[in-house]
């Protein structure tokens, strides 16, 4: 029997990701069902505010409330849905207030004087009048350095200077253990016991103190006065490192030879710190021989992994079109080399051509079935027996390798421009073949 001790609350920001699950309702149902399958007693709700979602999940669970219906839904909930203290709830019950709607329409000044500002804050947070942000809980880092100040500081420049000095100390600790880090966190402890956190990631493991300081400097340029609030001052600054990995020492001196890869990695880190992690992308190879599917763009800041497959030794153009464009090709014989091409109403006389390079269709990406075995024939049952059902056969068309087959050619016109064209299908097949332009060499 599982422990019935409550584990608390889990808050998720699902902005922009619910469509991956078919909508907010399906996402909520799937999340709750998976947690219940693990043995947890769980309820959930989706709302536009953290306070609203908390109250609904505890007192009207498994609902999705649209922003325009939030006020009406919260008015019907009991006052305990506001995350108030026990003494506040007891006094409100003595006053005869049962629902949040009754409390919301009472005069605010008398309520503020009697119950304090926390009641008004919780009320405004639930209805979205005050912004309530998620504060992620970060694991305690084993590698961190900090500096305490006898007099609090408040200027952002002073914080960045302190971070630069702390990066030097942190780099020495990491070097002693022979490791580097990809994630760095700057904690600013205010005198009112509140903590501000600024985190960033590097493209590869590093312990270069100057690079770490520059990343925080560029990230700070994105902060506005609203996001940076030192309050009455900051008395402790801590710099921590996480996502550690082994990093051997490097040769520095007159005989060191640099390839420039480290400088490129530092450039991408600085750009990502200034522009955002999803604004700087890199190309990642995919195991597919179809050119438009052989690569994709991914954020450059991520867990560094060595490419499992090296770049194929194939002749490919410098520039590919987003999608192959239909062209008209004339050839001396149907299966011969192209002699002329019409693309975007302009004719090109082709003087050289090489090919073909044949690429077969990827049957696993097409909604078609393979002919792996002959269709089973129904067996005649014995007298008194029930006929055996036939094996399941998907209701899909049969895969035709000729229809999706491509023959690529490298062609050159009289002006020296080289194009990459392909013929989709074969002459004499079920569908008349068509020609496409896919890329440019020069």
């Amino acid at each position: 029997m599982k422990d019935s001790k409550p584990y608390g609350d889990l808050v998720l920001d699902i902005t922009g990701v619910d469509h991956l699950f078919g909508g907010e309702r399906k996402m909520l149902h799937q999340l709750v069902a998976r947690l219940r399958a693990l043995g947890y007693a769980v309820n959930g709700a989706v709302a536009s505010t953290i306070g609203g979602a908390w109250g609904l999940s505890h007192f009207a669970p498994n609902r999705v409330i649209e922003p325009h219906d939030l006020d009406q839904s919260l008015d019907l909930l009991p006052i305990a849905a506001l995350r108030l203290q026990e003494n506040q709830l007891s006094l409100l019950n003595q006053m005869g207030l049962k629902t949040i709607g009754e409390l919301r329409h009472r005069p605010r000044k008398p309520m503020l004087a009697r119950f304090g500002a926390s009641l008004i804050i919780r009320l405004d947070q639930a209805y979205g009048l005050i912004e309530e942000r998620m504060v992620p809980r970060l694991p305690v880092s084993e590698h961190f350095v900090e500096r305490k100040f006898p007099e609090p500081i408040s200027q952002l420049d002073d914080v960045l200077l302190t971070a630069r000095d702390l990066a030097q100390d942190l780099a020495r600790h990491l070097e002693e253990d022979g490791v580097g880090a990809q994630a760095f966190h700057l904690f600013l402890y205010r005198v009112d016991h509140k903590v501000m956190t600024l985190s960033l990631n590097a493209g590869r493991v590093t312990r270069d103190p100057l690079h770490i300081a520059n990343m925080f400097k560029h990230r700070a340029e994105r902060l506005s006065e609203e996001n940076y609030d030192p309050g009455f001052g900051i008395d402790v600054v801590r710099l921590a490192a996480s996502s550690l990995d082994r990093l051997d020492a490097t040769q520095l001196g007159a005989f060191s030879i640099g390839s420039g890869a480290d400088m490129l990695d530092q450039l991408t880190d600085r750009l990502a710190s200034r522009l955002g992690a999803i604004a700087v992308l890199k190309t990642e190879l995919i195991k597919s021989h179809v050119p438009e599917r052989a690569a994709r763009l991914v954020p450059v800041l991520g867990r560094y992994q060595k490419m499992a497959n090296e770049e194929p030794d194939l002749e490919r153009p410098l520039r590919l079109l987003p999608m192959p464009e239909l062209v008209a090709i004339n050839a001396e014989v149907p299966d011969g080399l192209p002699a002329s091409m019409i693309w975007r109403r302009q004719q090109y006389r082709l003087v050289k051509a090489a090919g073909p390079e044949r690429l077969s269709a990827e049957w696993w990406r097409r909604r078609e079935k393979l002919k792996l075995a002959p269709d089973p024939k129904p067996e005649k049952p014995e007298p008194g027996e029930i006929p055996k059902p036939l094996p399941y056969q998907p209701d899909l068309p049969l895969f035709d390798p000729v229809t999706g087959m491509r023959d690529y050619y490298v062609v050159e016109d009289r002006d020296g421009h080289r194009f990459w064209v392909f013929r989709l299908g074969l002459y004499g097949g079920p569908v008349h073949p068509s020609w496409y332009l896919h890329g440019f060499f020069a």
Side-chain angles (χ1 to χ4, degrees):
M1 181 176 179
K2 291 187 177 294
D3 189 4
S4 59
K5 180 181 179 181
Y7 285 89
D9 304 310
L10 177 64
V11 181
L12 299 177
D13 185 359
I14 62 173
T15 305
V17 299
D18 57 283
H19 67 281
L20 301 176
F21 300 85
E24 294 178 345
R25 297 184 184 277
K26 292 184 179 180
M27 182 179 181
L28 176 63
H29 176 74
Q30 180 179 354
L31 181 60
V32 172
R34 293 180 65 177
L35 290 175
R36 289 176 178 174
L38 296 175
Y40 295 100
V42 59
N43 288 317
V46 178
S48 57
T49 63
I50 297 178
W54 189 94
L56 292 168
S57 63
H58 285 73
F59 297 92
N62 304 325
R63 297 175 59 189
V64 177
I65 303 301
E66 300 295 335
H68 54 81
D69 296 331
L70 180 62
D71 294 358
Q72 183 179 1
S73 301
L74 291 180
D75 286 344
L76 302 177
L77 298 181
I79 57 175
L82 286 179
R83 300 174 293 173
L84 300 177
Q85 301 176 4
E86 292 294 336
N87 59 343
Q88 293 176 327
L89 293 176
S90 178
L91 291 176
L92 290 172
N93 289 328
Q94 294 178 8
M95 295 175 59
L97 299 177
K98 303 297 182 181
T99 64
I100 300 178
E102 296 175 355
L103 176 62
R104 185 164 70 102
H105 293 92
R106 295 293 295 266
R108 298 173 68 93
K109 289 186 177 181
M111 303 298 291
L112 177 63
R114 185 169 184 178
F115 295 94
S118 60
L119 184 143
I120 304 299
I121 291 176
R122 288 301 191 189
L123 187 65
D124 291 343
Q125 286 177 343
Y127 285 90
L129 301 178
I130 296 179
E131 183 181 6
E132 183 180 6
R133 298 182 180 180
M134 296 176 54
V135 181
R137 297 184 62 182
L138 300 175
V140 179
S141 176
E142 297 180 357
H143 294 79
F144 69 90
V145 291
E146 64 181 17
R147 176 169 298 180
K148 299 180 180 180
F149 302 97
E151 295 292 337
I153 61 175
S154 59
Q155 296 296 326
L156 183 58
D157 293 339
D158 296 336
V159 173
L160 295 177
L161 289 175
T162 304
R164 186 182 63 181
D165 296 338
L166 292 176
Q168 299 281 351
D169 300 336
L170 181 63
R172 285 194 294 269
H173 288 289
L174 296 176
E175 186 176 6
E176 291 174 358
D177 294 340
V179 297
Q182 269 194 279
F184 300 92
H185 315 279
L186 189 64
F187 300 95
L188 309 180
Y189 294 86
R190 302 188 338 187
V191 296
D192 56 357
H193 305 291
K194 293 184 178 181
V195 183
M196 295 185 294
T197 306
L198 185 62
S199 301
L200 49 83
N201 295 320
R204 297 190 182 188
V205 290
T206 181
R207 56 171 179 259
D208 185 355
L210 181 59
H211 180 48
I212 298 172
N214 287 334
M215 286 194 297
F216 278 108
K217 178 182 177 182
H218 294 308
R219 176 62 62 86
E221 294 178 357
R222 300 176 56 194
L223 298 178
S224 61
E225 295 181 357
E226 298 178 356
N227 296 329
Y228 176 73
D229 182 16
F232 296 101
I234 300 170
D235 54 1
V236 179
V237 176
R238 173 180 295 182
L239 179 61
S242 60
S243 299
L244 305 177
D245 200 354
R246 179 177 177 83
L247 183 62
D248 296 329
T250 57
Q251 173 68 34
L252 298 177
F255 300 101
S256 61
I257 300 176
S259 62
D262 295 339
M263 298 180 63
L264 182 59
D265 293 336
Q266 293 180 7
L267 174 61
T268 56
D269 290 343
R270 293 195 299 268
L271 290 175
S273 299
R274 177 175 296 180
L275 304 177
I278 62 175
V280 184
L281 307 176
K282 65 178 179 180
T283 303
E284 182 182 70
L285 296 181
I286 301 176
K287 294 183 178 180
S288 175
H289 56 263
V290 179
E292 61 267 24
R293 295 174 180 162
R296 64 181 177 181
L297 294 176
V298 296
V300 70
L301 290 186
R303 195 69 180 174
Y304 174 71
Q305 295 180 353
K306 196 173 183 179
M307 296 296 296
N309 53 336
E310 297 180 355
E311 296 185 7
D313 187 15
L314 299 173
E315 186 179 12
R316 290 293 181 261
L318 297 175
R319 183 159 57 100
L320 286 179
L321 293 173
M323 292 296 295
E325 297 187 10
L326 187 65
V327 295
I329 292 287
N330 293 324
E332 297 179 358
V333 293
D335 289 325
L337 297 176
S340 65
M341 177 181 67
I342 300 177
W343 175 54
R344 295 183 180 179
R345 300 182 181 181
Q346 185 173 354
Q347 186 173 6
Y348 298 86
R349 178 64 180 175
L350 306 178
V351 296
K352 295 181 181 179
E357 176 190 349
R358 177 160 293 180
L359 299 181
S360 301
E362 295 180 341
W363 59 266
W364 56 90
R365 294 182 180 271
R366 304 170 68 93
R367 298 184 62 83
E368 298 176 350
K369 63 180 180 180
L370 296 176
K371 189 68 173 180
L372 301 177
D375 295 332
K377 296 181 179 180
E379 299 180 0
K380 187 176 180 179
E382 299 292 336
E385 293 184 355
I386 301 176
K388 296 181 179 180
L390 295 177
Y392 170 74
Q393 293 290 329
D395 187 16
L396 295 174
L398 187 63
F399 172 71
D400 183 13
V402 177
T403 304
M405 186 179 298
R406 298 181 182 183
D407 284 342
Y408 277 88
Y409 295 84
V410 180
V411 297
E412 183 177 333
D413 66 356
R414 290 178 296 183
D415 298 329
H417 300 129
R418 301 174 66 199
F419 306 95
W420 204 38
V421 298
F422 69 88
R423 183 184 63 231
L424 182 62
L426 297 177
Y427 290 102
V431 181
H432 187 75
S434 53
W435 288 84
Y436 294 87
L437 174 64
H438 203 167
F440 310 91
F441 284 92

